[in-house]
């Protein structure tokens, strides 16, 4: 019985040195990887856009467009920004290493390249990239309106649901670049706290963004909120026929808060929170907190 072929990693190597290209190509092919070659930055960008490599090895000093500018261009392209970039160059000064990391490189190797060390580092970054891709794929299937944003307001990634919500609001690529990006950048400069929310300006359809977390890579995770259709508690109130207060309590239960925490958020005692829950359970046809949270989450995720 014929076994399925194992997927080989696709590597783009950009270097204007034939000797370096030959050495790296032989090492990568011997390790079971497929290799694409570029001699300068613009050619590397074109190949990356067409072939979507798994990882990119980039010389810093190349004609026409150097490695630093090439990496910056890669990271500004939503379709390419998640590809890990490893710099390999003869530039050994600390300022060049820092610059390589600042423009988006995940690692920096100085020439002459040791093939074994290069392969070891590549495996680490390929594995990290796969873990990140798996996490993003999981988010893509949860129905959440999520997106990651760089400190300068650039949207790096968004779930299909977030794209759909932006389309519902008739958002254009021009508006994202000329209006959304400056609004987000200005807000982030003011260091908002987790769960702070920003109402977006310049739209006929009311949208806002809520800051969910600070990512380890420096990006921010946002949730896009459809204000036109109501906030979470309003959705629960309308769809489950609950009182305003009961809907607010249920919303925070669905977010994993204890009665004490909900009381602090809504300025009521934990006992009052419990009384609202005693009304919520029969209204939803459930018997406990976990089941009630499940009902609420199905509505919130769908919306």
């Amino acid at each position: 019985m014929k076994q399925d072929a194992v997927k080989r990693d696709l590597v783009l190597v950009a270097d204007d040195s034939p000797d370096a290209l030959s050495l790296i190509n032989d090492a990568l092919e011997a390790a079971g990887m497929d290799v694409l070659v570029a001699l300068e930055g613009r050619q590397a960008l074109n190949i990356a856009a067409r072939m979507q490599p798994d990882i990119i090895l980039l010389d810093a000093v190349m004609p026409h467009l150097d490695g630093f500018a090439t990496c910056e261009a890669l990271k500004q392209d939503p379709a390419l920004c998640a590809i890990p970039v490893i710099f390999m160059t003869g530039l050994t000064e600390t300022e060049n290493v820092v610059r390589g990391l600042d423009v988006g490189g995940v690692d920096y190797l100085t020439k002459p390249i040791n093939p074994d060390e290069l392969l070891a580092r590549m495996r680490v970054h390929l594995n990290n990239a796969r873990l990140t891709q798996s996490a993003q794929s999981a988010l893509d299937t949860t129905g959440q309106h999520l997106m990651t944003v760089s400190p300068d307001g650039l949207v790096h990634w968004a779930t299909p649901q977030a794209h759909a919500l932006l389309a519902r609001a008739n958002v254009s690529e021009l508006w994202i670049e000329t209006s959304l990006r400056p609004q987000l950048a200005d807000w982030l400069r003011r260091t908002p706290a987790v769960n702070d929310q920003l109402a977006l300006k310049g739209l006929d359809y009311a949208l806002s963004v809520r800051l969910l977390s600070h990512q380890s890579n420096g990006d921010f995770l946002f949730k896009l909120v459809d204000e036109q259709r109501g906030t979470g508690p309003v959705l629960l109130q309308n769809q489950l026929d609950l009182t305003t207060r009961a809907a607010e309590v249920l919303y925070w239960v669905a977010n994993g808060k204890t009665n004490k925490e909900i009381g602090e958020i809504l300025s009521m005692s934990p006992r009052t929170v419990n009384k609202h829950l005693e009304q919520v359970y029969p209204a939803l046809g459930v018997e406990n907190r976990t089941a009630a949270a499940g009902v609420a989450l199905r509505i919130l995720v769908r919306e």
Side-chain angles (χ1 to χ4, degrees), residues 33-47:
M33 300 179 181
D34 292 326
V35 183
L36 302 169
V37 172
L39 297 175
E40 50 92 14
R42 289 181 301 192
Q43 186 181 28
L45 291 174
N46 290 332
I47 294 173

Side-chain angles (χ1 to χ4, degrees), residues 59 88-93 108-111:
D59 186 15
M88 45 178 201
T89 175
L91 300 176
T92 60
E93 293 81 3
Y108 193 105
L109 290 173
T110 55
K111 295 180 178 178

Side-chain angles (χ1 to χ4, degrees), residues 236-253:
L236 296 177
Q237 181 182 1
N238 292 339
Q239 297 203 25
L240 299 173
D241 195 25
L242 300 173
T243 66
T244 300
R245 263 329 206 188
E248 290 173 341
V249 167
L250 178 58
Y251 174 78
W252 289 112
V253 166

